[in-house]
Amino acid sequence: QVQLVESGGGLVQAGASLRLSCAASDGSFGGLNAGWFRQAPGKEREFVGLMAWNGRSTFYADSVKGRFTISRDNAKKEVYLQMNNLKPEDTAVYYCVMTNAWSPHSWDYRYWGQGTQVTVSS
């Protein structure tokens, strides 16, 4: 069982940057793909992006492509989400996720963090 704990959320103004971190508790971290989802109030959970277990491949939702970047440090068992040029519509709870799949669908993800709030003011 992999436990994930996110940190780094907060309140920022539009145009600012923020970096989220996710720490994993289990040794199998290095063998799993890792990514992020988000959920805004009143909306369904939305795929943000995913990075392969070896860091060699990534894919992102069109809504964040070019602004958000996922990275990982397998030695530290950590995943990161660098968010640049934030917009009010990026306001959501952000969840760290891990999976064996290569998919944008939430049902393919077995491991979820508890979430961290990101609020972007206009």
Side-chain angles (χ1 to χ4, degrees):
Q1 187 75 8
V2 179
Q3 293 184 333
L4 304 171
V5 179
E6 303 95 337
S7 61
L11 171 63
V12 297
Q13 290 188 332
S17 297
L18 203 59
R19 188 193 194 211
L20 304 183
S21 298
C22 172
S25 65
D26 192 88
S28 60
F29 173 89
L32 295 170
N33 303 325
W36 298 84
F37 275 74
R38 67 185 181 184
Q39 188 167 21
K43 294 188 177 181
E44 293 186 355
R45 203 162 285 189
E46 176 190 19
F47 172 78
V48 173
L50 182 65
M51 172 170 274
W53 65 273
N54 58 8
R56 292 180 181 176
S57 298
T58 54
F59 77 109
Y60 299 94
D62 288 343
S63 58
V64 306
K65 198 174 297 181
R67 299 188 298 121
F68 290 12
T69 303
I70 296 173
S71 60
R72 64 188 293 165
D73 186 330
N74 286 351
K76 294 183 178 179
K77 301 179 188 178
E78 293 184 350
V79 184
Y80 312 100
L81 180 65
Q82 178 67 42
M83 304 183 291
N84 297 329
N85 189 23
L86 282 161
K87 304 176 181 181
E89 52 264 42
D90 294 319
T91 295
V93 176
Y94 283 72
Y95 298 91
C96 177
V97 292
M98 300 197 75
T99 179
N100 288 310
W102 192 250
S103 167
H105 303 299
S106 60
W107 55 81
D108 286 324
Y109 289 77
R110 179 177 180 183
Y111 302 111
W112 293 75
Q114 84 287 352
T116 185
Q117 176 71 45
V118 172
T119 303
V120 184
S121 64
S122 58

